[in-house]
Amino acid sequence: MTATTATPAKGQTPPAHVGMFQLLNGLFVAGAISCLAQLGIPDLVENGPKSADELATAIGADPRALYRLMRATACVEVLSKGPMESFPKHRFPRS
């Protein structure tokens, strides 16, 4: 079995495994975003980029685990990864 990244032709349905991967990925993304919000990370980077080490110290978290969470959310553009392993302001406006 080979995986394909090509878009199916108009009118064709993608293979079932593609839909399953999309559903599972959505679950992981939602969980990561929820965790990020519960930790208050968007509020902490509101006034400028901060490293995972700085943020971990501020919230009492493991810096390596927080870095992985922040990098994962940066992959889906919830956060952006800046220079020097810092994470600038999130893209969502405050309500």
Side-chain angles (χ1 to χ4, degrees), residues 13-94:
T13 304
H17 71 278
V18 172
M20 290 300 296
F21 284 130
Q22 289 172 335
L23 288 171
L24 289 172
N25 189 47
L27 178 67
F28 293 131
V29 169
I33 293 170
S34 174
C35 186
L36 195 75
Q38 289 176 26
L39 292 171
I41 299 301
D43 295 329
L44 295 173
V45 297
E46 183 68 30
N47 295 320
K50 301 231 180 351
S51 70
D53 287 335
E54 292 174 290
L55 293 167
T57 299
I59 63 172
D62 178 87
R64 292 175 298 164
L66 183 59
Y67 176 76
R68 288 191 302 270
L69 174 66
M70 294 173 70
R71 191 179 65 206
T73 57
C75 288
V76 292
E77 299 179 356
V78 172
L79 292 177
S80 54
K81 188 173 176 203
M84 305 285 293
E85 303 296 322
S86 65
F87 291 84
K89 182 179 177 180
H90 57 92
R91 72 179 190 142
F92 297 111
R94 292 182 64 92

